[in-house]
Amino acid sequence: MKLVIVTVVEDFEPEVLQLFKNAGIEQFSGSEIDGYRNQASVLRAASWFPAKAGGVESSLFFSFTEADKIRRLFKEIEVFNSKMDTDNPVRAVVMPIEEYI
C-alpha cells in the first residue's frame, strides 16, 4: 500500500480523473487548492496592489492504493504531460505507508 498525490491546474481536472480510471484507481479523494509560483522580486516591487490576488485554481487528488496501479498512473501521466503545451504539467508523488488500519 502506498499513497499517491497528484496536483493539476483546474483546466485539466477532467483529464486527470480519466487517468485515474485508466490506471484502475477507482477510489480516491480530491480537493480544490490554490497553486502559487514565486515571482521575481522586480515584478513584486512593480506594483503595490497586484491586479490578481491569490493563486491559480488547482486540484489535489490522493489515493491509498497498490504499487502496480500507481505505476500505471505514472505512465498515463507521462504520456499526458508529453502532449501538453503548458508550463503547468500534472505533478505526482508517491509516499510509502509503513502502517495502516
Side-chain angles (χ1 to χ4, degrees), residues 4-99:
V4 62
I5 302 170
V6 177
T7 60
V8 62
V9 293
E10 189 177 73
D11 292 345
F12 300 117
E13 183 177 312
E15 289 87 346
V16 168
L17 296 175
Q18 185 63 48
L19 297 179
F20 269 81
K21 184 176 181 178
N22 294 349
I25 301 174
E26 298 292 334
Q27 298 177 351
F28 55 90
S29 299
S31 180
E32 294 178 2
I33 60 172
D34 288 333
Y36 295 89
R37 180 176 300 194
N38 288 334
Q39 298 176 351
S41 59
V42 173
L43 293 176
R44 282 188 295 222
S47 172
W48 282 84
F49 303 103
K52 182 180 179 187
V56 176
E57 292 178 354
S58 302
S59 298
L60 179 142
F61 298 98
F62 66 93
S63 178
F64 296 94
T65 193
E66 296 83 22
D68 62 323
K69 291 182 179 181
I70 293 172
R71 280 191 293 276
R72 287 195 302 254
L73 177 65
F74 269 58
K75 287 180 184 176
E76 293 277 340
I77 291 172
E78 282 181 355
V79 170
F80 181 78
N81 281 346
S82 72
K83 297 176 182 177
M84 290 179 65
D85 187 27
T86 179
D87 61 346
N88 291 311
V90 176
R91 306 274 187 194
V93 297
V94 177
M95 300 177 66
I97 304 298
E98 292 183 26
E99 294 183 49

